[in-house]
Amino acid sequence: MKNNFKKVLKKKIKKKNRSKKIKIGIFALLNTFFGMTSIASQNINLPKEFTQDAAASGYENETFNYDFNNDGTDEKVVVSYKDENNFLDAVVSIYTNQNGKDLLTYQITFDKAINILNLDEMSKMLDKVKEYYGEYSKNIAPNETRYIMIYDDNRNSEISFDKLKFDKHSPKDLDNFLFIKSSSNMLDAPNGNKITTLSYSEKPKLLFEMTSTANPQKLYYTEFTKKGSTNVNHIKESKSKVKPETFKGFIVDTGNNVIKRGFYWDKVLTKIENVNKFIQDAIDSGENINIITEYAPLTHDVPSKKDKFGNKNNQSIVAYTSPDKKGEIINIPDQSLFRILGEEKGMIKIQTPFYGGPYYIPKNENNYKKVENINGAVNKFIAIDPSSQAEMLFERDPQTNKFKVVSYSFVTTGKDGSGSYETPHGAFLIAFTRGYMPFTRKARPGDTPLSGRPDLTIGGVAKFAVRFSGGGYLHGIPVNTHFKGETALTETAAKIGTYKESHKCVRHFDDQVGFIVDWVNAGSKIKDGDNTIPEEPVVAIVL
């Protein structure tokens, strides 16, 4: 059957009036049902009962037989596909025989677009259609149709993961995962029996999700290894007596028990490439790269509303969409990168790599300055994703222009509240690093007040500090000044990788941010008191 299908397929492809690349890609996609991977954007409409001319509008369609469950009876398969800009969108529809009729039982899509010539990736994805068949077909009811989306990783050929420089807190093979908000049972099948129970903040790997005409609740098929911590705390795990044990099964989405999260490498890389393109365009136009300098430590907070990017006016400058200060405004935080396009009506016209533009800001040289050490593409980036409480470090190879992942981990980002702020979103130049990070609290009788702020005193300290925007720092686990012990075993450390909670900063395990400080500094000799200013530019991107 397989060899015959190859011959039939080759004849069909030869008849298609398509480019050579598309022909090769389609053949790889459909080759004996061992070579497909795809993207699937969404489900498509096909007839409930199979016919030889079953087809989805707007797609090319191929039909063939394949025995998925090795019961001696072939299932009818319709592969619908179309290409857009050399990326393939494909949907696999499987018809099973029920009482003499071939009925649509499974429709499989994919979560990402794959380059049509990336044959290895194309092969890997269809292997998953076969591999998971025994799972998504469990407890199927007569006349039921199930809709499955298979998840791949979030990587591409422009990113290298070879030889991470620091991986003690890096989750392995966890590009897409569920964050468990409340205790959830893992089942052996849809409507099946409990295998185990997942607890708050555990993070099972997401393999596929499924909906059904028989049940409106979404199910996630996942894999999870129980360990001594839920956020890759290698110190806590080394002291734990929990024996790692791996489970695979279904988790029911009840509406408030899970959140989909991930390390979205490809999405982040697009942001990074946008920054470097912005820099190169500015240099080609003879323009300087500048940063906003709007930071006054320990200033009193002034309430403000968020702009469309999620930023408040704290330690930011107001930018307008017109030089007459009418229309929409945005808040551009301290250390944000921008270029000057000109002047209009006494306002400076600017463009930014993250917020776009043009925008207009007051002509006040105290609010910005030229970046002296950006003369070409930036090589080092720190990417922070507050929605997933995740952080990724990238380093560019100037010879190939590709990026390698240096380290990655879970973090804790800022939360809006009284005296606290969400971590600002944007592209920021790292200002400096140092070996400690003091934090304040309200002064009580007998405390030593801060100079200029008699209402505040030093409340504690965290190890290491990397300033990226205003009072926003990357730092370690904050503890009070009298703390003795292992910070990785504190309650604050246990919250890393859960929810936004800090006052604006990004919290890390101490050894994780210690590595970041050394990586950012790279032996820099530029000092300003206790602060080290990196000689090579490093950009932080907060999604």
Side-chain angles (χ1 to χ4, degrees):
M1 181 271 295
K2 295 176 181 177
N3 291 334
N4 289 338
F5 177 65
K6 279 187 178 181
K7 292 179 181 179
V8 172
L9 183 61
K10 286 180 180 178
K11 290 180 180 179
K12 290 182 178 181
I13 291 173
K14 286 179 180 178
K15 293 179 180 179
K16 296 184 182 295
N17 182 24
R18 306 175 67 78
S19 72
K20 184 177 181 181
K21 286 185 178 180
I22 301 303
K23 290 178 184 177
I24 294 172
I26 297 300
F27 178 70
L29 171 71
L30 298 177
N31 187 10
T32 327
F33 217 72
F34 285 93
M36 174 186 129
T37 133
S38 74
I39 23 177
S41 49
Q42 58 186 0
N43 297 319
I44 57 176
N45 291 321
L46 283 175
K48 178 64 178 177
E49 186 173 354
F50 177 81
T51 60
Q52 287 297 333
D53 58 355
S57 177
Y59 287 75
E60 305 240 16
N61 299 271
E62 302 293 349
T63 63
F64 56 95
N65 300 331
Y66 192 85
D67 184 3
F68 279 95
N69 53 6
N70 297 314
D71 65 353
T73 301
D74 285 348
E75 283 73 45
K76 304 291 186 183
V77 182
V78 178
V79 177
S80 307
Y81 57 89
K82 61 182 177 181
D83 63 274
E84 295 182 5
N85 299 320
N86 284 336
F87 284 87
L88 200 64
D89 176 7
V91 182
V92 179
S93 302
I94 301 173
Y95 289 77
T96 64
N97 190 275
Q98 301 179 37
N99 297 320
K101 295 182 178 180
D102 293 313
L103 301 181
L104 179 60
T105 311
Y106 311 104
Q107 193 168 91
I108 299 101
T109 58
F110 307 87
D111 78 312
K112 65 178 289 188
I114 302 295
N115 189 300
I116 203 163
L117 291 184
N118 191 336
L119 302 186
D120 290 340
E121 285 299 309
M122 297 179 79
S123 176
K124 182 174 67 173
M125 286 304 284
L126 192 57
D127 283 342
K128 292 182 178 181
V129 174
K130 299 185 294 179
E131 176 187 349
Y132 297 150
Y133 184 86
E135 301 300 332
Y136 59 73
S137 63
K138 286 179 176 177
N139 290 350
I140 187 80
N143 207 39
E144 178 183 358
T145 302
R146 290 178 174 176
Y147 299 93
I148 298 99
M149 176 175 282
I150 293 178
Y151 283 82
D152 193 18
D153 58 41
N154 300 318
R155 311 177 183 198
N156 63 39
S157 59
E158 300 301 307
I159 308 172
S160 169
F161 290 81
D162 295 337
K163 299 179 180 178
L164 269 66
K165 293 184 178 179
F166 190 87
D167 64 355
K168 290 184 178 181
H169 298 286
S170 302
K172 304 301 185 289
D173 192 24
L174 199 67
D175 286 14
N176 295 290
F177 61 91
L178 294 182
F179 174 77
I180 303 298
K181 296 171 59 179
S182 59
S183 180
S184 302
N185 290 334
M186 179 182 282
L187 310 177
D188 63 353
N191 303 313
N193 299 315
K194 183 180 79 171
I195 300 172
T196 188
T197 299
L198 299 186
S199 303
Y200 169 74
S201 86
E202 291 187 315
K203 302 172 182 68
K205 179 181 178 180
L206 179 55
L207 301 178
F208 68 79
E209 65 180 55
M210 183 173 76
T211 57
S212 167
T213 56
N215 186 346
Q217 287 184 308
K218 184 173 289 186
L219 285 89
Y220 298 103
Y221 185 67
T222 64
E223 179 178 358
F224 180 68
T225 300
K226 285 188 175 290
K227 295 182 179 180
S229 75
T230 64
N231 56 8
V232 200
N233 181 342
H234 73 93
I235 297 171
K236 185 175 180 180
E237 288 174 7
S238 68
K239 298 177 181 294
S240 173
K241 296 181 180 180
V242 175
K243 184 179 180 180
E245 187 174 3
T246 300
F247 302 88
K248 281 187 178 182
F250 291 87
I251 298 173
V252 179
D253 186 346
T254 62
N256 59 4
N257 64 322
V258 297
I259 304 173
K260 282 195 293 185
R261 292 181 177 177
F263 285 86
Y264 300 114
W265 310 102
D266 41 9
K267 176 181 175 181
V268 169
L269 183 61
T270 297
K271 294 288 187 181
I272 289 173
E273 290 173 337
N274 286 345
V275 170
N276 273 343
K277 183 179 185 304
F278 173 89
I279 290 170
Q280 191 59 54
D281 288 348
I283 291 172
D284 291 345
S285 299
E287 298 161 351
N288 296 323
I289 299 298
N290 304 276
I291 55 170
I292 299 295
T293 55
E294 188 69 15
Y295 176 45
L298 301 178
T299 54
H300 289 275
D301 295 317
V302 178
S304 62
K305 293 182 179 180
K306 287 184 178 181
D307 64 17
K308 65 181 181 181
F309 297 103
N311 293 326
K312 290 187 175 181
N313 188 237
N314 172 263
Q315 298 168 345
S316 302
I317 190 169
V318 175
Y320 303 85
T321 51
S322 66
D324 55 9
K325 298 185 179 182
K326 294 181 179 180
E328 185 180 28
I329 66 170
I330 69 167
N331 301 306
I332 304 183
D334 176 68
Q335 295 293 124
S336 292
L337 298 169
F338 73 94
R339 60 194 278 201
I340 296 175
L341 302 178
E343 293 186 26
E344 290 184 29
K345 298 182 179 180
M347 302 283 280
I348 297 176
K349 184 179 182 181
I350 69 168
Q351 187 179 35
T352 76
F354 194 93
Y355 317 113
Y359 295 105
Y360 298 85
I361 62 174
K363 187 178 180 180
N364 182 347
E365 293 186 359
N366 292 325
N367 292 339
Y368 66 91
K369 68 178 181 181
K370 176 186 173 182
V371 179
E372 299 293 345
N373 62 348
I374 294 184
N375 303 302
V378 172
N379 294 327
K380 291 183 176 182
F381 287 85
I382 300 171
I384 300 156
D385 182 358
S387 66
S388 290
Q389 295 293 280
E391 181 182 82
M392 296 152 269
L393 275 61
F394 293 82
E395 189 164 346
R396 173 178 167 269
D397 182 343
Q399 301 301 318
T400 64
N401 202 34
K402 294 186 178 183
F403 283 85
K404 61 182 178 181
V405 176
V406 174
S407 184
Y408 62 98
S409 68
F410 294 114
V411 291
T412 297
T413 62
K415 176 184 178 180
D416 278 332
S418 177
S420 68
Y421 294 87
E422 189 171 319
T423 303
H425 307 274
F428 312 106
L429 181 69
I430 296 297
F432 61 77
T433 73
R434 64 169 174 254
Y436 61 93
M437 175 69 190
F439 61 91
T440 61
R441 62 168 172 80
K442 290 184 178 181
R444 296 188 288 263
D447 287 336
T448 302
L450 297 178
S451 177
R453 286 296 301 268
D455 57 323
L456 297 178
T457 188
I458 297 296
V461 68
K463 290 184 178 180
F464 305 107
V466 181
R467 189 169 87 81
F468 64 93
S469 179
Y473 290 76
L474 315 181
H475 62 68
I477 304 297
V479 292
N480 65 49
T481 52
H482 305 294
F483 177 83
K484 293 182 180 180
E486 179 59 72
T487 61
L489 304 180
T490 63
E491 182 180 349
T492 301
K495 294 179 180 179
I496 284 180
T498 59
Y499 290 106
K500 300 174 183 179
E501 193 193 63
S502 80
H503 288 80
K504 187 175 185 176
C505 298
V506 183
R507 296 177 189 161
H508 303 68
F509 293 110
D510 290 351
D511 53 351
Q512 181 74 30
V513 72
F515 165 79
I516 294 173
V517 166
D518 290 342
W519 177 72
V520 168
N521 289 343
S524 174
K525 304 299 182 184
I526 306 174
K527 301 290 183 179
D528 181 11
D530 290 343
N531 302 331
T532 299
I533 301 170
E535 296 178 10
E536 180 182 358
V538 182
V539 171
I541 296 178
V542 183
L543 301 183

